[in-house]
Amino acid sequence: MPTHLARTSAFAPRKKDLITDSNFVRIYEVPGYSVVEVKGRELGSQHRDAIYALFRLPREKVKVDNPAYRPGTFIAPVLWYYQTRTTWRTLIRAMGRTEHVNNLLSLVHVFQEIQQVSVLIHEGRSLKELEAIKSKRTRNMLPDGAGSASSLITDLSWEGAQLDSPVTVTYGARVLEMIEKAHLVSINADVQFRLKSDHAKVFWPFIDSQPDHTFIEEERLAQLSGRELWAPEATSATRAQFRKECREAFKDMVSAGGLSKFDEEITGSGRAKSRRYTYAHAALRQCELDLPMVDAIT
């Protein structure tokens, strides 16, 4: 799984009441880890699960002639990309679900919604770093935005709504670059698909992709959830509700076999009082991969 995608807040911790306006645009930042831009509609837990299932399957590298190529120019004569060819049955199985027509129809609907969305994975790991990249390009008179982002999925097609109907997914150039440069992490997807809490589905990829970490601050959990804990519009009631959801999420990660235990610790004092969650992994996980791997999710 590309690190930027595992450690992002681009998927809302809910399945319902998502913003479906086609004019929807939002940049999600997890400072120090990822900047992801979503256009077309809001994405939720069900979209994350579908995309994670795709990355769980084998991919092949494909070369095609570049239709824009002209001799004597700097345009590359060929294009490279990664592609997954699978079936609905295989995808449903990868998600740990029953191979039933109801799950098939639900997954088709989810992919139809994903088709409406452009997910851009930016180079920078924070908005500040992204601005520095853009500023450097401007000083060097490079085209605006050149190489700064590309879509997560460039093409998604299927040939029917039967369990064994073919499904073809083509990944964007940014994903190809991360795979080639081994900007990947190992995530226990079996745990991911056993989780019931939408917040747990948001927290688990970040936690499991960093096996040497033993605690996480609630401010980071808020960032992963796409919210500001101390925003002007936030209240003590909304913070209390969020903390309740965090506790439920950690209990879910324990029940799903991802964590063996967790503790909630109060830090700070007064209005600045916060929470820290310490935890222990139920099983040892791989660190970031040193070599390119096709199957990044185990």
Side-chain angles (χ1 to χ4, degrees):
M1 171 64 65
T3 56
H4 283 56
L5 191 58
R7 303 164 185 171
T8 183
S9 58
F11 301 91
R14 60 183 185 278
K15 298 183 182 72
K16 299 179 180 179
D17 302 321
L18 296 168
I19 300 172
T20 58
D21 186 351
S22 60
N23 294 318
F24 176 85
V25 179
R26 183 174 176 183
I27 294 178
Y28 297 86
E29 177 194 22
V30 179
Y33 292 93
S34 66
V35 179
V36 177
E37 185 174 352
V38 176
K39 300 179 181 180
R41 60 157 293 143
E42 191 175 26
L43 296 173
S45 298
Q46 66 273 38
H47 305 103
R48 178 194 289 267
D49 280 353
I51 290 172
Y52 273 36
L54 283 173
F55 276 97
R56 200 177 188 188
L57 302 177
R59 298 174 293 278
E60 61 175 336
K61 191 173 182 181
V62 180
K63 180 178 74 171
V64 297
D65 293 333
N66 186 352
Y69 171 68
R70 297 292 182 274
T73 68
F74 291 104
I75 300 174
V78 298
L79 298 175
W80 291 94
Y81 57 87
Y82 276 104
Q83 190 174 78
T84 292
R85 296 177 181 273
T86 185
T87 64
W88 294 117
R89 186 189 302 276
T90 304
L91 277 168
I92 292 171
R93 189 179 299 155
M95 298 172 73
R97 296 182 181 177
T98 306
E99 297 168 27
H100 190 276
V101 66
N102 288 343
N103 287 331
L104 163 62
L105 295 176
S106 295
L107 194 55
V108 170
H109 181 66
V110 167
F111 274 102
Q112 286 174 332
E113 292 178 335
I114 291 174
Q115 275 194 309
Q116 302 169 19
V117 179
S118 172
V119 181
L120 305 179
I121 304 176
H122 288 272
E123 284 185 28
R125 294 181 180 270
S126 67
L127 288 173
K128 183 176 180 180
E129 184 179 329
L130 187 60
E131 286 302 317
I133 292 172
K134 291 182 178 179
S135 177
K136 182 178 180 179
R137 287 202 175 98
T138 300
R139 290 197 304 270
N140 293 333
M141 297 182 11
L142 293 174
D144 184 37
S148 63
S150 69
S151 297
L152 169 65
I153 293 174
T154 57
D155 188 64
L156 175 62
S157 62
W158 54 88
E159 298 177 21
Q162 303 298 318
L163 280 170
D164 293 311
S165 296
V167 181
T168 303
V169 182
T170 303
Y171 299 96
R174 188 79 179 98
V175 174
L176 182 148
E177 179 186 348
M178 285 188 281
I179 292 173
E180 293 293 328
K181 293 184 177 180
H183 293 167
L184 307 174
V185 292
S186 178
I187 299 172
N188 189 325
D190 289 327
V191 169
Q192 179 72 20
F193 295 127
R194 283 198 295 265
L195 296 171
K196 295 178 172 54
S197 161
D198 288 327
H199 278 80
K201 288 180 178 290
V202 167
F203 302 156
W204 174 248
F206 186 91
I207 288 173
D208 196 43
S209 68
Q210 300 178 102
D212 293 333
H213 290 206
T214 58
F215 69 87
I216 188 168
E217 306 289 350
E218 71 172 350
E219 183 178 357
R220 180 71 75 192
L221 296 178
Q223 292 168 353
L224 291 169
S225 303
R227 65 190 294 167
E228 291 184 42
L229 201 61
W230 301 98
E233 65 274 13
T235 65
S236 57
T238 59
R239 282 189 289 273
Q241 177 61 31
F242 177 65
R243 285 162 181 162
K244 177 183 177 182
E245 291 165 340
C246 287
R247 287 191 291 273
E248 291 174 349
F250 275 92
K251 290 177 183 177
D252 191 17
M253 285 184 274
V254 172
S255 298
L259 302 179
S260 60
K261 62 180 181 178
F262 82 94
D263 290 301
E264 180 183 1
E265 174 189 353
I266 297 177
T267 59
S269 60
R271 191 177 184 279
K273 188 181 294 183
S274 187
R275 301 289 190 280
R276 172 181 291 169
Y277 297 87
T278 58
Y279 54 83
H281 286 268
L284 294 177
R285 304 294 304 149
Q286 293 180 2
C287 296
E288 294 195 17
L289 304 176
D290 295 324
L291 298 174
M293 295 282 288
V294 171
D295 296 322
I297 295 184
T298 58

